[in-house]
Amino acid sequence: MNTPKIVCAVGLLGALLWGPPAAWSQEYRIGFIAAITGPASSLGVPERDVAVMIQKELDAKSGIAGRDGKKRPVKIIIHDDQSKPDETVKAVKKLIADDKVHVVIASSQSPTSLAVVPIVTEAKAPLISMASSHAIVTPVRDRHWVFKTPQSNIHVAVHQINYLKAKKIKKVASLYVNDAFGEDSRRGLAELAKGAGIEIVYEDKFEHADKDMTPQLTKVRGSGAEVLIVHAIPPAASIITKNVRDLRLTIPLIHNHGVGTKPFIDLAGGAAEGVIFPIGKMLVAEGLPDADPQKKVLLDFIAWYEKGTGKPRSTFAGHAWDALQMLFPILASLPADLTLEAARGRIRDELEKTRNFVGTGGIFNMSAEDHVGLDERSMVLVRIEEGKWKYFPREKW
């Protein structure tokens, strides 16, 4: 009996009956959506840059080795959602149905991320968001397929309230951008303020595209507030900061972590001086104690990113890096014979088991009850001084 010929014949018959293996089964496919254009591009462009740089590195080493030791290419399919939820929905549907991706990373903003939660849930495809609203991953029973890498707004509020308590501030004005991110951040602050005996004496909103928030700030001036807390991203966050200085409001100005990007300072100019905000440790990595378990990861990332892009560090770039690095060992562990549906389910299950992953955003410990895996210890308080981010520890408050 000529065994090789029989095997060859069987293989040929299989190819004729079932066709060649699907392209998706020969490579790991990651759908990646960011706000590369539009109002949130200061977040999405650094995220896109990370995906492009990592794709080049993966191509240079022919992908990653699977369980059988054989290299399989990784394809990161990048889309721009233009900072629009309807564009995010269209891109996610295409990635899942047409491109047959194993997992989706999307998107830069809370509204665009929330818009695709029903899509991935119905399709049973895992999603990692790069946005901060706690509603993206809660309640967990309704977010079975959804994870995210940034710290949540509720973590931000813990630091803001701690600062207010330390300064014995009892009256706060709270202004927020009118979207899911601003609303989530506003609500987190209000909930914690109530428990801390701090009164929100004035609360109002503004739109992403607003060019002047003077009317709201005029009401802040008459409210008796001892501090102003703003929940927004650039450019609106920069505009309102300039308006505060133009009106000569002298109360302290505190932002949330949406301003942790150089364009905020560039757009606000000198008005950014003295702004305080909680954020992940990346902006002040050099000042961390050597014993901090994140310090080496952060310094290595900063050096890699700044050399590769020629741009300053970005916490938003870090959110993308965390998502991708978290995925690679999971993809490498997949059995080669899984169907696409089974592979997606396996990736979801493994994401939920993520433990002690040291990323740029913190040390991730996910579980069936927690699809972020971070807490307030992953953040620090930062103050802008002479156009630069400075670590603002409790002893300097």
Side-chain angles (χ1 to χ4, degrees), residues 123-141:
K124 298 183 177 178
L127 169 73
I128 305 177
S129 168
M130 299 178 286
S132 65
S133 171
H134 202 46
I136 295 169
V137 291
T138 58
V140 177
R141 65 177 180 278

Side-chain angles (χ1 to χ4, degrees), residues 281-397:
K281 301 174 181 176
M282 183 190 297
L283 300 187
V284 293
E286 290 84 352
L288 297 173
D290 290 340
D292 190 297
Q294 274 187 269
K295 185 168 184 175
K296 183 178 187 312
V297 170
L298 287 167
L299 293 177
D300 288 348
F301 172 81
I302 292 165
W304 172 81
Y305 179 78
E306 293 186 347
K307 181 181 179 181
T309 64
K311 302 173 184 176
R313 70 191 69 180
S314 161
T315 57
F316 302 99
H319 299 330
W321 189 88
D322 288 346
L324 286 163
Q325 297 299 330
M326 204 178 289
L327 277 174
F328 293 144
I330 295 175
L331 294 176
S333 72
L334 295 177
D337 57 350
L338 287 181
T339 64
L340 178 59
E341 290 73 22
R344 287 171 174 170
R346 181 73 167 256
I347 293 168
R348 191 221 76 86
D349 292 346
E350 294 301 315
L351 279 170
E352 200 170 78
K353 296 175 185 174
T354 299
R355 301 283 189 280
N356 298 315
F357 172 78
V358 183
T360 67
I363 300 175
F364 292 82
N365 285 290
M366 296 196 186
S367 69
E369 294 78 34
D370 184 359
H371 282 191
V372 185
L374 298 173
D375 59 29
E376 61 274 12
R377 291 173 296 181
S378 61
M379 309 190 87
V380 294
L381 218 55
V382 170
R383 184 168 62 184
I384 297 174
E385 299 174 9
E386 298 179 346
K388 297 179 180 177
W389 302 297
K390 299 289 184 181
Y391 182 37
F392 193 40
R394 182 178 287 268
E395 57 267 25
K396 292 186 178 179
W397 295 356

